[in-house]
């Protein structure tokens, strides 16, 4: 996709203002106004092509452990993803999402939480666990198949009381993946490729998207249609020449809007409200034209809406 440079943007605003160069304090104000207007344009649509990601695979975090202290290991306190079944014992193996050497497993006798452990996938798709340092072990007389049903865990040392909560959520950030800014839709399998995929209902909180009614307890991943997070322009330096000479990329679709809208803010700051109103109108038209392009594309595909009847079954 096309881009322009931040230097070109800053020079255009100077030209609109009819000045050869802004004063240093004015330049800093303009930089702040540019980021303000950049965010405003970014928020105008959930499906700007530049920031839209369709059906990206993400881990489903299915457990959350808390209550461990230094007596055991505080690295136990984290979220966990399901790896699969244990080669020995058949029950699930879970791996820490933050510290992946913390493993929860059951060899058929009791649930354990180990640090400095590892899990290796076998040809059968099951996992062989190499035990580490045991931090907690199931103390229930009647052993449970599901770790969330365990009532009491015995700590390695001290009196730590381990709390295990069942979860089905996807965090905003995952190592090696683009950080999610906002969730649009969540599917069980890769969507918008060949066949239809089951779509999950979900709600969002500060940790991420909480999925409702996961189809199978063995599902350990989902496919997310989302918008990337907003990243403001970051220009190195404070001199006017640093701004006008910057090669930081500016999305071409936002270029005209940001220039005229930032200049309108500058005029308003200077008390020239009539001129600011005219520039605001110019900026609004520029953004409306770009939004119209997005709407036209959206009306011809299915990524941002659901549409399915007995006559027409769209892949989703």
């Amino acid at each position: 996709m096309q881009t322009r440079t931040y230097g070109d943007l800053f020079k255009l605003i100077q030209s609109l203002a009819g000045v050869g160069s802004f004063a240093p304090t004015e330049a800093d104000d303009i930089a702040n106004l540019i980021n303000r207007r950049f965010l405003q344009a970014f928020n105008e649509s959930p499906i700007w092509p530049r920031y839209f990601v369709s059906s990206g695979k993400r881990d489903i975090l299915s457990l959350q452990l808390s209550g461990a202290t230094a007596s055991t290991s505080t690295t136990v306190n984290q979220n966990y993803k399901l790896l699969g079944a244990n080669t020995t014992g058949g029950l699930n193996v879970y791996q820490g999402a933050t510290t992946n050497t913390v493993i929860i497993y059951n060899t058929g006798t009791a649930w354990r939480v180990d640090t400095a452990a590892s899990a290796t996938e076998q040809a059968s798709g099951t996992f062989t666990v190499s035990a580490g340092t045991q931090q907690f072990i199931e103390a229930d007389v009647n052993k449970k198949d599901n770790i969330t049903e365990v009532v009491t865990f015995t700590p390695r040392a001290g009196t730590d009381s381990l709390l295990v909560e069942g979860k089905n959520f996807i965090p905003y950030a995952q190592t090696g993946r683009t950080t999610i800014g906002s969730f649009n839709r969540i599917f069980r399998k890769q969507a918008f490729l060949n066949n239809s995929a089951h779509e999950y209902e979900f709600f969002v909180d500060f940790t991420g998207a909480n999925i409702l009614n996961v189809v199978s307890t063995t599902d350990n991943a989902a496919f997310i249609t989302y918008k990337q997070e907003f990243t403001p322009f970051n220009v190195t330096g404070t001199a006017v020449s640093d701004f006008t000479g910057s090669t930081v990329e500016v999305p071409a679709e936002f270029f005209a809007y940001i220039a005229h809208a930032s200049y309108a803010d500058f005029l308003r700051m200077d008390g020239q409200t009539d001129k600011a109103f005219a520039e605001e109108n110019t900026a609004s038209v520029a953004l409306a034209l770009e939004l119209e392009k997005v709407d036209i594309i959206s009306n011809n595909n299915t990524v941002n809406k659901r549409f399915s009847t007995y006559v027409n079954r769209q892949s989703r």
Side-chain angles (χ1 to χ4, degrees):
M1 302 187 73
Q2 292 184 324
T3 60
R4 302 283 298 274
T5 67
Y6 190 92
D8 288 342
L9 176 64
F10 207 89
K11 289 175 183 176
L12 176 56
I13 296 173
Q14 286 188 157
S15 297
L16 291 171
V19 297
S21 178
F22 285 122
T25 55
E26 292 177 329
D28 185 61
D29 289 336
I30 292 294
N32 291 330
L33 295 174
I34 285 173
N35 272 331
R36 171 180 177 270
R37 291 300 191 156
F38 181 24
L39 175 61
Q40 186 172 339
F42 179 87
N43 287 335
E44 285 292 327
S45 173
I47 52 172
W48 287 116
R50 185 182 299 274
Y51 303 105
F52 181 79
V53 179
S54 173
S55 203
K57 187 177 183 180
R58 296 296 175 111
D59 292 331
I60 297 177
L61 302 185
S62 50
L63 290 177
Q64 186 177 69
L65 271 59
S66 60
T69 69
S71 297
T72 48
S73 173
T74 56
T75 58
V76 170
N77 300 325
Q78 58 173 312
N79 297 308
Y80 293 79
K81 62 182 179 180
L82 171 65
L83 291 182
N86 195 334
T87 303
T88 304
L91 297 179
N92 289 337
V93 177
Y94 301 89
Q95 183 180 48
T98 303
T99 304
N100 60 14
T101 55
V102 184
I103 304 291
I104 303 171
Y105 64 104
N106 189 319
T107 59
T109 57
W111 284 101
R112 290 178 50 155
V113 182
D114 284 12
T115 54
S118 62
T120 305
E121 186 173 7
Q122 306 302 307
S124 62
T126 60
F127 287 80
T128 298
V129 178
S130 297
T133 303
Q134 178 183 298
Q135 304 299 330
F136 293 91
I137 189 167
E138 180 183 2
D140 290 1
V141 175
N142 297 317
K143 304 305 180 186
K144 308 300 192 300
D145 289 341
N146 192 328
I147 188 172
T148 58
E149 297 175 355
V150 177
V151 177
T152 306
F153 288 91
T154 299
R156 175 180 59 82
T159 59
D160 291 356
S161 179
L162 185 65
L163 176 62
V164 180
E165 294 181 272
K167 294 276 187 177
N168 280 314
F169 85 98
I170 297 168
Y172 293 99
Q174 180 179 326
T175 302
R177 307 278 185 174
T178 305
T179 300
I180 296 172
S182 60
F183 293 85
N184 288 6
R185 302 172 72 177
I186 300 178
F187 299 88
R188 186 187 183 197
K189 296 180 180 179
Q190 187 172 3
F192 311 118
L193 183 61
N194 293 318
N195 298 319
S196 295
H198 177 85
E199 183 170 4
Y200 288 121
E201 299 291 340
F202 65 95
F203 67 91
V204 178
D205 59 20
F206 75 98
T207 61
N210 296 264
I211 304 173
L212 307 179
N213 302 318
V214 172
V215 171
S216 172
T217 56
T218 60
D219 285 350
N220 59 9
F223 292 81
I224 318 302
T225 297
Y226 66 93
K227 183 181 178 183
Q228 298 176 28
E229 70 174 348
F230 174 75
T231 303
F233 298 126
N234 184 15
V235 177
T236 303
T238 56
V240 176
S241 59
D242 293 323
F243 294 114
T244 56
S246 174
T247 58
V248 170
E249 293 184 345
V250 176
E253 61 269 29
F254 297 162
F255 189 86
Y257 169 75
I258 294 175
H260 288 280
S262 298
Y263 177 49
D265 290 338
F266 178 75
L267 289 170
R268 198 172 291 109
M269 182 177 65
D270 195 42
Q272 302 182 59
T273 54
D274 291 340
K275 291 182 179 179
F277 182 76
E279 285 298 325
E280 190 74 45
N281 284 339
T282 302
S284 297
V285 170
L287 185 59
L289 289 173
E290 295 299 330
L291 286 169
E292 184 178 8
K293 295 177 185 177
V294 174
D295 287 341
I296 291 171
I297 295 172
S298 179
N299 287 335
N300 291 318
N301 62 46
T302 64
V303 295
N304 198 44
K305 63 181 183 294
R306 303 178 190 178
F307 184 75
S308 181
T309 71
Y310 70 95
V311 176
N312 180 17
R313 294 284 187 266
Q314 295 181 343
S315 295
R316 49 185 170 78

